[in-house]
Every structure is written in C-alpha cells, then in structure tokens.
Amino acid sequence: MRGLDIQFMIDSIPEIVQGVPNAILIAVFALIAGGLIGLLCALVRIFKVPVLRQIVAVYIAVIRGTPLMVQILVVYYGIPRLLEYLNYMWGTNANINNIPAIYFMFFCFALYYGSYMTEMFRSCISSVDPGQLEACYTVGMTTRQGMLRVILPQAFSMALPNIGNNFIGAIKDASLAFAVSIPEILGRAKIVAGRSSKFLEAYIVAAGVYFVICTICQFLLEFMEKNNSKYSKR
C-alpha cells in the first residue's frame, strides 16, 4: 500500500489553482444575477402581483424541487435544442455551436440562487415594521421611494449574512461545472489526476483550494457584518 505522493500534490497546486477564476466568476454572477431575480420575485410575492405571483410560485417550486446537477444538464443540453428549434421556426441561421459553456452555467446558477434569495428577501422585507412605509407616505414619498430609501436598506442589512452564505455555497456548487467541461477547480483536478491516475492526491489538493477560498470569503464576510452592525447601532 503506497502512501500519498506529497511531491505530486505540491506540483499539481499551480495547475489546479488555475480553475479558481472560473469558480469565482460563476459564484459572483450567481450572487448578482440571482440577487436581482430574488429581489424582484420577492417584491412580486409581497405585493401579490396578479399572474406574476403564480409564475414566481411555480418557478420557486420547480427550481427548489430539483437537484442543481439536473438543472445544469437540462440547461446545457436543452437551450441549444431550443435555439435550434427557433432557428427552424424563424428561418434564421444563428450559430449555436460556439456558445461558451460557462454562459449556460451563469444562466443556471442565476435561476437556482434566485429561487433561494426570493424567500430570503421576502422574509427580510416582511420583517421590517410596516409602519415605516406608512410613515413614508405621510412625508409625501411614493411606495417606490419608500421601498428604495427606507425598507430595502434595512432588509439588505438583515439579509447580509445569508447573502454571504449563498456566495460561499455558490463557490462550492461551482464544482458541478466539471460536468459540462468547464475547467474550474474540480475540473482541473480531474485533468491532473487523469494524467497520473493519482486521483486521491489531486482531489485532496482541490479540497484544500476550496477550503482556503471559502475561509478567506468567510473572514471578509464576517468583517463586513461587524462593520454593518456597528453602522446599524448608530
């Protein structure tokens, strides 16, 4: 029984680390686009917008009721088929073969994290005293102005810890991108391991890279939360 090849692990670090930008990029896009989707859907549910409210409910049920890996595969193989069909129906000749795979990941992660951020924002907005919005009306503000200037800043402050958790979760979930051949951290580890058959060593290095990134992000988020709490107390 052979032990771990420590030298191989050290030598493989630079190549595996090359996958970090893709993982961060996917997570950042998931946070920004998913946050926007979540905020809009939360407002639709809070204000009970007809039709859109039912569509949002179905969207959340479908996304939260199916695994992310399945969604990635459905999007990756389904969107090209849909575009192919639209080409046929509209008589267009758009090239769908050169679409980078990472764009499919952006789309999928935005929908996935948007569904979870919907409930997060909805609960945070609902927890703000409704009387504050009524106070906005008394000083001549519209509903939009009251939401933007008074309600949403407080809701965002309360949501900050969960937003940070979602970002860290997105970094880890980005490991699923290897299923559609995107060379993020785990994908790079598979490439390295495939050349040498030293899968355990490569995956341990990948785990270490994820751990370091998530630890750094956790530290930064805790720093932001502390500053935010100080500001709130003032």
Side-chain angles (χ1 to χ4, degrees):
M1 178 178 177
R2 64 183 178 87
L4 292 175
D5 189 339
I6 303 299
Q7 187 59 49
F8 170 81
M9 294 171 66
I10 295 172
D11 293 339
S12 65
I13 290 174
E15 185 170 352
I16 293 176
V17 166
Q18 290 177 19
V20 170
N22 279 338
I24 297 294
L25 191 61
I26 291 171
V28 169
F29 192 89
L31 186 70
I32 295 173
L36 290 174
I37 291 172
L39 179 58
L40 290 175
C41 291
L43 293 174
V44 165
R45 299 196 72 177
I46 289 170
F47 290 103
K48 299 179 181 179
V49 181
V51 183
L52 289 180
R53 182 188 178 193
Q54 286 74 22
I55 293 174
V56 167
V58 171
Y59 153 64
I60 292 174
V62 170
I63 297 297
R64 299 183 72 168
T66 54
L68 178 56
M69 175 63 86
V70 173
Q71 295 170 27
I72 289 170
L73 295 175
V74 168
V75 167
Y76 183 71
Y77 291 105
I79 289 182
R81 290 283 294 274
L82 175 62
L83 296 177
E84 197 175 281
Y85 176 74
L86 293 177
N87 269 342
Y88 171 77
M89 289 294 294
W90 296 343
T92 55
N93 196 25
N95 187 354
I96 61 176
N97 297 317
N98 294 328
I99 301 176
I102 198 167
Y103 288 170
F104 298 111
M105 292 298 297
F106 289 160
F107 179 76
C108 192
F109 269 62
L111 290 181
Y112 181 79
Y113 278 93
S115 69
Y116 285 92
M117 289 190 174
T118 296
E119 293 305 300
M120 177 191 73
F121 281 125
R122 187 177 68 84
S123 63
C124 290
I125 293 171
S126 298
S127 66
V128 177
D129 186 356
Q132 295 193 36
L133 189 57
E134 304 212 358
C136 293
Y137 296 149
T138 63
V139 295
M141 288 188 188
T142 63
T143 300
R144 183 178 67 84
Q145 290 172 329
M147 291 296 294
L148 290 175
R149 297 180 184 180
V150 178
I151 306 300
L152 290 183
Q154 295 180 70
F156 179 80
S157 178
M158 289 185 282
L160 189 58
N162 284 326
I163 292 173
N165 290 335
N166 279 318
F167 179 67
I168 292 174
I171 292 175
K172 293 184 285 188
D173 284 340
S175 62
L176 299 177
F178 83 92
V180 292
S181 303
I182 295 176
E184 47 67 64
I185 299 168
L186 186 59
R188 292 282 183 182
K190 284 178 67 70
I191 293 170
V192 170
R195 291 199 301 259
S196 59
S197 296
K198 296 180 180 179
F199 290 93
L200 178 58
E201 287 89 341
Y203 291 149
I204 288 175
V205 173
V209 173
Y210 278 114
F211 176 76
V212 170
I213 294 172
C214 291
T215 301
I216 293 172
C217 289
Q218 186 65 42
F219 174 78
L220 294 174
L221 290 167
E222 287 176 359
F223 178 75
M224 290 173 61
E225 287 174 31
K226 286 179 182 177
N227 283 348
N228 183 64
S229 64
K230 289 178 183 177
Y231 176 77
S232 299
K233 289 175 183 177
R234 293 172 188 173

